[in-house]
């Protein structure tokens, strides 16, 4: 079984909920205290053994590339002022041996299309997908590591799922679980509360197999004009190729202003920041 070495980070979204802050700055660089959202997701991937980071970018996203690049001038300035600790922190954003690849998504055609843009960089390998909007705090190696461990046991695609009660379930992709063996039989994107097949919502962490590209390539856009990753995963689930792993973390939806501010408050209280 191939080792999972690559992770895809779809970061081409416009971040309209955070305007005007995101007019020129990518929403993925919004900070939780002193570290941007995307860096938390990257650190989670690296902790899981990932060494190739594939960013699917769009217009005005160059700052993400700059964030993960060396900044020799800044490091030199910090050293000259005796701020060696800060210089080391800037220098060590990525450990040695980790590679970044940046792929442009020419049009905003949905998460499925963003993943499809990574096909050439992925090749014929299993891979992880991490959405930086889902800010997760956890113990141990992290949520992506949990998914990779589950993949190693069966070789099947893995979804991270959490329980959601009440009408809020309609905000998520919802899994249909086989009650006999616990496998995923389908994934419905944002069903109405009364039509939701379960209270298990898929969140922004996945381990996928490369045959997902064949499905995405031939998949028609939905009524919203987007190619949904959930539709491609659902077609794989119907033939028994998808499993789920219960989320072992605290999650904040930082795609919304409320979730973002809640995440900051939580980290301030957790770490005792004054």
């Amino acid at each position: 079984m191939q080792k999972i070495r690559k992770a895809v980070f779809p970061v081409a979204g416009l971040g309209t909920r955070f305007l005007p802050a995101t007019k020129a700055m990518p929403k993925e660089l919004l900070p939780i205290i002193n570290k941007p959202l995307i860096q938390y997701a990257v650190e989670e991937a690296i902790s899981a053994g990932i060494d190739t980071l594939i960013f699917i970018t769009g217009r005005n996203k160059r700052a993400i590339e700059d964030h993960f690049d060396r900044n020799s001038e800044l490091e030199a300035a910090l050293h000259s002022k005796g701020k060696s600790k800060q210089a080391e922190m800037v220098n060590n954003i990525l450990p040695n041996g980790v590679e970044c690849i940046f792929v442009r998504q020419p049009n905003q055609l949905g998460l499925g299309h963003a993943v499809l843009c990574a096909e050439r960089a992925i090749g014929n390998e299993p891979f992880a997908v991490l959405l930086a909007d889902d800010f997760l705090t956890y113990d141990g190696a992290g949520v992506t590591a949990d998914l990779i461990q589950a993949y190693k046991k069966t070789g099947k695609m893995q979804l991270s799922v959490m329980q959601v009660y009440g009408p809020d379930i309609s905000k998520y992709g919802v899994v249909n679980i086989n009650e006999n063996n616990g496998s995923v039989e389908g994934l419905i994107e944002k069903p109405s509360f009364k039509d939701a097949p379960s209270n298990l919502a898929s969140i922004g962490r996945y381990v996928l197999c490369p045959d997902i590209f064949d499905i995405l390539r031939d998949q028609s856009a939905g009524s919203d004009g987007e190619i949904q990753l959930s539709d491609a995963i659902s077609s794989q689930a119907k033939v028994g190729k998808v499993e789920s792993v219960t989320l072992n973390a605290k999650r904040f939806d930082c795609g919304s202003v409320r979730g973002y501010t809640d995440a900051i408050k939580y980290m301030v209280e957790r770490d005792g920041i004054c």
Side-chain angles (χ1 to χ4, degrees):
M1 186 178 295
Q2 286 182 290
K3 181 180 178 182
I4 296 179
R5 301 173 39 253
K6 298 177 179 179
V8 175
F9 300 86
V11 294
L14 297 175
T16 54
R17 294 180 182 177
F18 290 90
L19 287 170
T22 51
K23 180 176 181 288
M25 180 183 72
K27 67 175 180 176
E28 294 82 10
L29 290 181
L30 290 171
I32 303 292
I33 313 302
N34 65 340
K35 189 186 299 184
L37 283 166
I38 188 62
Q39 189 172 334
Y40 284 99
V42 162
E43 289 174 355
E44 178 189 329
I46 292 172
S47 294
I50 301 294
D51 62 19
T52 304
L53 313 174
I54 303 165
F55 298 89
I56 309 303
T57 70
R59 187 174 180 274
N60 291 336
K61 299 288 182 168
R62 177 60 187 270
I64 295 176
E65 185 173 350
D66 290 341
H67 179 73
F68 290 106
D69 197 4
R70 288 289 303 273
N71 188 332
S72 300
E73 293 83 0
L74 175 59
E75 292 174 32
L78 290 170
H79 280 301
S80 69
K81 296 179 180 180
K83 297 181 178 181
S84 298
K85 184 177 180 179
Q86 290 93 328
E88 183 179 353
M89 177 177 58
V90 170
N91 182 40
N92 292 331
I93 285 178
L94 289 179
N96 292 331
V98 174
E99 177 185 10
C100 292
I101 298 172
F102 295 88
V103 179
R104 186 74 171 257
Q105 184 182 17
N107 297 300
Q108 297 288 305
L109 296 177
L111 179 56
H113 182 261
V115 171
L116 182 59
C117 289
E119 181 178 10
R120 289 188 180 182
I122 293 293
N124 192 35
E125 299 180 36
F127 62 102
V129 177
L130 296 89
L131 307 186
D133 283 356
D134 280 321
F135 176 70
L136 307 176
T137 64
Y138 49 82
D139 296 322
V143 176
T144 299
D146 292 343
L147 294 174
I148 290 175
Q149 287 302 314
Y151 168 81
K152 288 179 180 178
K153 294 178 181 177
T154 65
K156 295 184 178 182
M157 296 186 188
Q158 303 292 330
L159 308 180
S160 183
V161 298
M162 68 176 189
Q163 291 184 327
V164 176
Y165 297 98
D168 280 352
I169 193 70
S170 63
K171 299 177 181 178
Y172 300 88
V174 183
V175 298
N176 185 10
I177 296 289
N178 184 310
E179 295 181 359
N180 294 322
N181 59 25
S183 65
V184 177
E185 292 188 334
L187 180 63
I188 301 174
E189 185 67 20
K190 297 181 180 179
S192 65
F193 175 45
K194 64 182 181 63
D195 294 330
S198 74
N199 68 342
L200 293 176
S202 172
I203 65 132
R205 298 293 187 274
Y206 313 83
V207 164
L208 304 177
C209 297
D211 54 359
I212 197 77
F213 295 126
D214 295 330
I215 299 171
L216 290 169
R217 199 181 306 112
D218 297 330
Q219 185 173 299
S220 299
S223 58
D224 55 2
E226 296 187 343
I227 298 173
Q228 297 290 352
L229 180 62
S230 57
D231 292 341
I233 292 173
S234 188
S235 67
Q236 292 290 71
K238 291 174 182 176
V239 293
K241 293 185 176 181
V242 182
E243 297 175 333
S244 64
V245 177
T246 301
L247 179 69
N248 182 25
K250 189 171 181 63
R251 172 187 176 269
F252 297 90
D253 177 11
C254 288
S256 70
V257 174
R258 175 64 180 271
Y260 174 67
T261 56
D262 285 348
I264 294 174
K265 291 176 184 176
Y266 174 82
M267 294 296 285
V268 167
E269 293 174 359
R270 190 195 72 170
D271 296 342
I273 299 172
C274 299

